[in-house]
Each structure stands twice: as C-alpha cells, then as structure tokens.
C-alpha cells in the first residue's frame, strides 16, 4: 500500500469502525472559544475539524503529506474555512513556541518518542492555555507489539464486527486491519500501559487530569499563567 492508499484506507476504517465523537469526551474540558488550536498527528483531520467550531484558527500537523492532502480535501468538501493543514514532524514542528491556546492530539503519540514529544507539545502552549492529549493504551506492553498479537486481536473482534457492521463492511475492516502496513504500524508503536501513561504524562504535565476509556487515556493540563 502506498502512502496515499494508506491514508484513504485509514480514513475509511475510522468511518466504518466508529467515527470520532469528541463533543462528549473533550467538549466539557475545552474553553468555549479560543483563538488558536493545534492538532498534532492530525491524520485525516477529525479532531482539527471538530476544533474548528471552538477556535478562530486551527492548525493540523501531520508527518504524512498524503494525510494532510486528504484532510485538506475533506475540509474543502465540508466548507470549513479556518483550518490549515501543515506537513511536518511533531518532534521539530514548524510552529512558534507558546503560540496556541489549545494543543491537542488523538491516538498518535505512541508513534513518537514521548520523552521528546511531550516537552515539545508543552512548549507550544501559551500561558493559561490547554493541553489535551488522548492516546491508545495497552494491557500487555511486550505482547501487544508483536504482529501475531495484533492479528489475534483483530480475529477476536470478528463476531462483534459481523454483528455491528454486517459481512461486507467486516470484510473491508479486516482487509485494513490485517494489511501488512497496518500490522507493522501497530507492532512498531510504543503503546503504554495505563500506569506508564500516568507516570510519563505527569512528569511533563504536573497535576494533569486523566480521563479513562477502555482502550485509551486522555491527559488534560492547563499551563500556568
Ligand atoms: C493513527 S493516526 C491518527 C490520526 C488522527 N489523529 C486520528 O485520530 O484520526 C496517526 C497519525 O500520526 C501521524 N504521525 C506519526 N508520527 C508523526 C510525527 N512524528 N509527526 C507528525 N505526525 C506524525 C501519522 O502520519 C498518522 O497520520
């Protein structure tokens, strides 16, 4: 699968398995209105487009040019004018320090070296601004990185997919989840256990609040004024 094919397949997979609903999770923790918001590892742009309703301007940053192109097409299709998508690495972002009221990210920080990335994200938020970071967590650190473990996890989900999505969509989901690109991607990711997540995020964002979901955790932190 090339980069553009992967971006399209990832977007279809998210749409099929459950489009992102940020309002109930993040809505109550975000200020009602801000000037500038950032979504790092924005992928096809779900969180950036959600933030567009709460911010004067949103920047979506992603390492993959195919993802930012896809996100721009989606933005233009839905007619949202206040989001720009930038291609770049969150480890060395082409962005001014302390220039965002909200710095956010969804299910991507496990793709990065968080000892480097979390301090970078902290440097981008303005005094008094908010950092809201959600990432997938794991129960079994070592095993969850093996490709066979990833595939076994997908197979365990088949009855649920069949029940909830029907045979045609289940087939499309399985083709994506069992694709070498996705299996390799998941196996290479540094997913943390809940305990590791709390410890790592608390070190950079002291006294942050944690939200728990069955498969993910979110850290919410307000920068000192
Ligand atoms: C699993 S996808 C999640 C996308 C999106 N946040 C979502 O929730 O739909 C992870 C995204 O992080 C991006 N990514 C990975 N490493 C990155 C880095 N170092 N800098 C910026 N983006 C990165 C990938 O290109 C990919 O689009």
């Amino acid at each position: 699968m090339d980069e553009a094919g992967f971006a399209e397949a990832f977007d279809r997979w998210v749409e099929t398995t459950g489009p992102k609903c940020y309002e109930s999770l993040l809505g109550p923790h975000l200020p009602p209105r801000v000037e500038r918001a950032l979504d790092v590892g924005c992928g096809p742009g779900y969180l950036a487009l959600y933030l567009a309703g709460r911010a004067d301007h949103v920047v979506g940053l992603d390492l993959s040019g195919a993802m930012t192109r896809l996100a721009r097409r989606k933005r233009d299709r839905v007619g949202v004018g206040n989001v720009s998508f930038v291609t770049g690495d969150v480890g060395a972002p082409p962005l001014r320090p302390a220039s965002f009221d909200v710095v956010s990210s969804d299910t991507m920080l496990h793709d990065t070296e968080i000892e480097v990335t979390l301090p970078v994200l902290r440097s981008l938020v303005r005094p008094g601004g908010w950092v809201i970071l959600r990432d997938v967590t794991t129960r079994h650190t070592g095993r969850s990185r093996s490709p066979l473990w990833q595939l076994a996890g997908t197979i365990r989900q088949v009855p649920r997919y069949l029940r909830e999505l029907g045979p045609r969509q289940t087939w499309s989901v399985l083709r994506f989840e069992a694709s070498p690109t996705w299996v390799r991607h998941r196996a290479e990711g540094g997913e943390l256990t809940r305990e590791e997540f709390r410890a790592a995020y608390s070190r950079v964002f002291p006294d942050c609040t944690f939200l728990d979901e069955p498969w993910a955790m979110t850290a919410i932190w307000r920068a000192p004024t």
Side-chain angles (χ1 to χ4, degrees):
M1 213 183 305
D2 65 10
E3 207 185 319
F6 177 74
E8 301 273 352
F10 176 78
D11 193 27
R12 269 199 308 276
W13 175 72
V14 174
E15 289 286 347
T16 312
T17 51
K20 312 254 181 183
C21 297
Y22 292 113
E23 187 51 41
S24 56
L25 180 74
L26 303 184
H29 304 282
L30 283 167
R33 191 79 206 164
V34 297
E35 225 174 280
R36 282 169 56 77
L38 171 68
D39 174 25
V40 301
C42 63
Y46 292 95
L47 179 53
L49 291 171
Y50 167 75
L51 290 169
R54 307 282 287 250
D56 295 344
H57 189 76
V58 181
V59 176
L61 176 79
D62 202 284
L63 191 58
S64 157
M67 285 291 189
T68 48
R69 280 191 293 279
L70 178 64
R72 279 185 211 114
R73 286 203 301 278
K74 187 181 290 189
R75 171 200 64 192
D76 296 343
R77 209 167 50 240
V78 296
V80 171
N82 60 335
V83 184
S84 46
F85 289 102
V86 176
T87 303
D89 186 345
V90 66
L95 302 165
R96 266 186 304 117
S99 59
F100 291 94
D101 304 291
V102 171
V103 171
S104 69
S105 154
D106 189 16
T107 52
M108 71 75 62
L109 289 170
H110 61 276
D111 286 344
T112 73
E113 296 294 333
I114 56 164
E115 296 74 15
V116 175
T117 316
L118 296 185
V120 170
L121 295 181
R122 184 180 161 139
S123 76
L124 292 170
V125 70
R126 283 179 180 157
W130 298 87
V131 174
I132 300 190
L133 307 174
R134 174 162 81 161
D135 203 4
V136 57
T137 50
T138 179
R139 275 187 296 156
H140 312 282
T141 319
R143 266 191 300 176
S144 72
R145 294 204 180 120
S146 114
L148 277 180
W149 181 255
Q150 301 297 342
L151 279 173
T154 289
I155 290 163
R156 274 200 303 275
Q157 296 298 322
V158 170
R160 181 173 71 80
Y161 286 154
L162 280 169
R163 215 172 40 246
E164 292 177 5
L165 306 173
R168 186 191 292 260
Q169 290 196 324
T170 296
W171 175 239
S172 126
V173 166
L174 293 184
R175 275 182 49 197
F176 177 73
E177 291 190 4
S179 67
T181 315
W182 183 246
V183 171
R184 202 170 40 246
H185 170 82
R186 291 295 309 273
E188 285 169 359
E191 293 171 17
L192 304 178
T193 63
R194 287 173 184 276
E195 295 69 34
E196 290 167 341
F197 187 102
R198 279 178 189 276
Y201 284 66
S202 299
R203 270 196 294 278
V204 183
F205 303 111
D207 300 320
C208 60
T209 301
F210 292 103
L211 307 181
D212 282 296
E213 289 173 89
W215 57 275
M217 281 186 82
T218 303
I220 301 177
W221 182 74
R222 183 139 200 216
T225 46

